[in-house]
Amino acid sequence: MGLNWIDLLIIAVYLAGITLFGLRFRKRQRTMRDYFLADRNIPWWALALSIVAAETSTLTIISIPGLAYDSNFTFLQLVMGYVLGRVIISFVLLPNYFRGDLFTAYQLIEQRFGATLRTITAGIFLLTRAAAEGVRVYAISIVVSIALGTGEISSIAVITLLTLIYTFEGGLAAVIWTDVVQTFIYVGGTLIGIFTILHLVPGGWNSVQDLARSADKFRVFNLGGLAHWPFLNSSQPYTLLAGIVGGAFLTTASHGTDQLIVQRLLAARNQRQSVVALLASGVAIFLQFGLFLFVGVMLFAYYRVPSATFGKADRIYPTFIVGHMPHAIAGLLIAAILAAAMSNLSAALNSLASCSMVDFYFRFRPQMEDRKKLILARMFTIVWALILFGLAVLALHRVGRVVEVGLQIASVSYGALLGVFLLGVLTKRASQGGAVLGMACGLAAELYLWKSSTIAFTWWVAIGTCVTFAVGYGTSLLWRTE
């Protein structure tokens, strides 16, 4: 059917409305603490929704249904690991973050090891977060080009600009509260989409259920990795062991060492509220991924053709919205997907800017009045918006299924980062020299896994963490440099 003027109006109203809503927080920005930590005055429930929104992008909404279309619900095994990882962070890392007046995760590394390792860890965050985020921003073009028929580059440019406007003006407070609104929009839109698809599938729910069962679409657990215990099949990404262990390591790294999430955890009123927000987000993320996977199963029941028919599995859901959803609902669903894109992008811009300022710029010019700090924070936000736009353009036509590419890029560095943080909080004898060598070995191991190994990406962070920790601790015992 395509989109008509009603759909376009809904999309335009959403884009204008969320931008204006974000601008409401401009007057609250008086200091760098306001801009980067929202004055540490955000309630736990808003933080929980913001964490969910920050790890949900267009990539998630369009690629997870495509994953279920091609396979089943076994991705939920990885999400179970995500929940376990949050529990580990609550006990191991969060207490250390709330012992000092920290702005970034990497200040903790300097307190424990020294300035050199802080620079290395913060630099790795900037590089890998920018690369992964470039892929996520690229995913916006898939949806907008299908929905509106506009050029991919212009699609990326419009969304990036609108997100930049309210992030530039309102800082983390604008990011978090727009995240809350956007979470309700994309979850609500997805629920409406499910009921709409259900009415379009011939035979309704009974037909979906019969077809899904015959194709094993509702399968959650894959015990294939344990079939020849203790010899594991590490080439399958979504087995029970790979999902729980790999997901736990991945989330402990992404939510415990990545400034994108740590920044939100530091914005809580106290440590207890931060823990509650993190654990609540785990429950929400499990339900959310189940919802997106369910969409994919229903699309499979509707189309009943191979995903290759659409070119890429990532194109199935947006193609269905534009071609088969009733008007107004189609516009709402496109707006919902854009909501996820903007919430994820705004989170990246603010965290990249905070790390650039606090972990690098202030090392050379520590003394500066608050007004100049605020101006500089906004300038860094603009710079990163331009960088992410450029990386998204480079990603065009260069990636496969975008959700897995995004996870792979992040996984290459997360193991080394998590290994260093664990050396810092779990040991007293680890030295900066040992930690640096351990991190180098962990990164080398993960690069090898990425480029030359058949081991599934779900194992990369766990392997990188163990290599970093073992080499770092062992070297520190043998080579006392400090």
Side-chain angles (χ1 to χ4, degrees):
M1 294 187 296
L3 301 183
N4 69 357
W5 67 270
I6 298 176
D7 301 311
L8 298 178
L9 180 62
I10 290 173
I11 295 170
V13 167
Y14 159 72
L15 292 174
I18 201 67
T19 304
L20 292 173
F21 176 74
L23 288 174
R24 293 177 63 248
F25 297 90
R26 186 182 193 282
K27 294 180 180 179
R28 302 184 187 181
Q29 311 308 310
R30 297 182 179 87
T31 66
M32 192 177 74
R33 179 187 173 101
D34 294 333
Y35 195 79
F36 286 137
L37 294 180
D39 197 29
R40 288 193 166 130
N41 194 33
I42 304 295
W44 70 267
W45 60 269
L47 279 178
L49 293 176
S50 181
I51 291 169
V52 172
E55 58 185 312
T56 304
S57 64
T58 301
L59 178 157
T60 311
I61 294 181
I62 68 174
S63 206
I64 294 300
L67 189 65
Y69 191 100
D70 279 339
S71 56
N72 44 42
F73 272 39
T74 51
F75 186 84
L76 283 179
Q77 296 169 119
L78 192 63
V79 185
M80 294 173 192
Y82 292 174
V83 177
L84 177 60
R86 284 164 159 85
V87 176
I88 295 171
I89 294 168
S90 300
F91 288 101
V92 177
L93 292 172
L94 269 184
N96 293 278
Y97 286 132
F98 278 87
R99 286 190 185 125
D101 189 24
L102 304 183
F103 278 81
T104 74
Y106 315 107
Q107 289 175 286
L108 179 64
I109 293 296
E110 181 172 20
Q111 290 178 1
R112 173 62 178 83
F113 290 114
T116 300
L117 196 53
R118 174 187 177 183
T119 300
I120 294 172
T121 53
I124 288 175
F125 160 72
L126 292 178
L127 290 173
T128 54
R129 172 51 57 191
E133 211 59 41
V135 175
R136 288 183 171 93
V137 177
Y138 146 72
I140 299 171
S141 67
I142 297 176
V143 177
V144 179
S145 60
I146 290 174
L148 305 181
T150 57
E152 292 171 320
I153 294 178
S154 59
S155 303
I156 296 170
V158 170
I159 299 302
T160 302
L161 178 61
L162 292 176
T163 307
L164 171 62
I165 290 172
Y166 72 76
T167 308
F168 174 89
E169 294 287 1
L172 186 63
V175 171
I176 289 175
W177 288 109
T178 53
D179 282 352
V180 171
V181 174
Q182 288 162 328
T183 302
F184 282 110
I185 291 173
Y186 73 71
V187 171
T190 303
L191 287 171
I192 292 173
I194 284 177
F195 285 109
T196 306
I197 298 172
L198 190 60
H199 283 87
L200 293 175
V201 174
W205 169 244
N206 290 332
S207 177
V208 172
Q209 198 172 26
D210 292 341
L211 190 63
R213 282 179 176 170
S214 65
D216 202 22
K217 289 293 180 182
F218 290 138
R219 183 181 181 187
V220 174
F221 297 106
N222 177 5
L223 302 179
L226 298 172
H228 303 288
W229 177 269
F231 303 101
L232 303 177
N233 182 357
S234 58
S235 63
Q236 296 182 38
Y238 305 125
T239 63
L240 181 61
L241 196 61
I244 292 179
V245 175
F249 271 90
L250 177 61
T251 294
T252 305
S254 65
H255 289 50
T257 72
D258 192 314
Q259 177 66 4
L260 183 80
I261 301 297
V262 172
Q263 185 177 13
R264 279 160 176 69
L265 298 176
L266 291 173
R269 292 168 178 168
N270 52 54
Q271 182 183 333
R272 182 178 176 277
Q273 289 218 354
S274 186
V275 169
V276 173
L278 185 60
L279 297 180
S281 73
V283 176
I285 208 74
F286 185 87
L287 296 174
Q288 177 180 280
F289 273 108
L291 198 66
F292 294 151
L293 289 166
F294 192 63
V295 169
V297 171
M298 296 186 71
L299 290 172
F300 177 81
Y302 179 81
Y303 282 116
R304 307 186 189 190
V305 296
S307 61
T309 306
F310 302 88
K312 292 181 181 179
D314 298 327
R315 297 178 63 88
I316 298 173
Y317 189 32
T319 298
F320 179 86
I321 292 171
V322 173
H324 301 284
M325 284 289 187
H327 293 305
I329 293 178
L332 177 64
L333 289 175
I334 295 297
I337 293 174
L338 295 181
M342 294 176 76
S343 63
N344 188 266
L345 177 56
S346 64
L349 291 176
N350 199 258
S351 62
L352 288 166
S354 66
C355 182
S356 301
M357 276 191 67
V358 176
D359 293 310
F360 289 95
Y361 189 84
F362 285 166
R363 308 272 287 281
F364 303 101
R365 292 195 60 188
Q367 300 301 321
M368 186 182 298
E369 61 184 53
D370 285 339
R371 184 181 63 83
K372 289 185 178 179
K373 287 181 180 179
L374 194 55
I375 293 172
L376 191 62
R378 287 174 168 151
M379 292 303 103
F380 271 111
T381 304
I382 292 176
V383 169
W384 280 109
L386 293 173
I387 292 173
L388 294 185
F389 171 75
L391 291 172
V393 172
L394 288 176
L396 291 173
H397 311 300
R398 295 179 185 271
V399 298
R401 183 180 285 125
V402 287
V403 70
E404 293 185 346
V405 172
L407 288 173
Q408 287 169 5
I409 291 174
S411 297
V412 168
S413 64
Y414 274 157
L417 281 173
L418 179 58
V420 166
F421 273 82
L422 293 180
L423 279 171
V425 300
L426 297 180
T427 73
K428 301 240 181 240
R429 301 187 66 181
S431 65
Q432 178 167 259
V436 170
L437 182 59
M439 192 170 197
C441 292
L443 280 172
E446 289 176 297
L447 286 171
Y448 169 78
L449 292 171
W450 187 25
K451 293 297 185 181
S452 306
S453 171
T454 59
I455 295 176
F457 74 90
T458 42
W459 287 106
W460 296 355
V461 178
I463 294 172
T465 301
C466 293
V467 169
T468 301
F469 191 92
V471 173
Y473 190 68
T475 302
S476 299
L477 295 180
L478 297 174
W479 173 36
R480 300 299 296 175
T481 61
E482 299 173 8

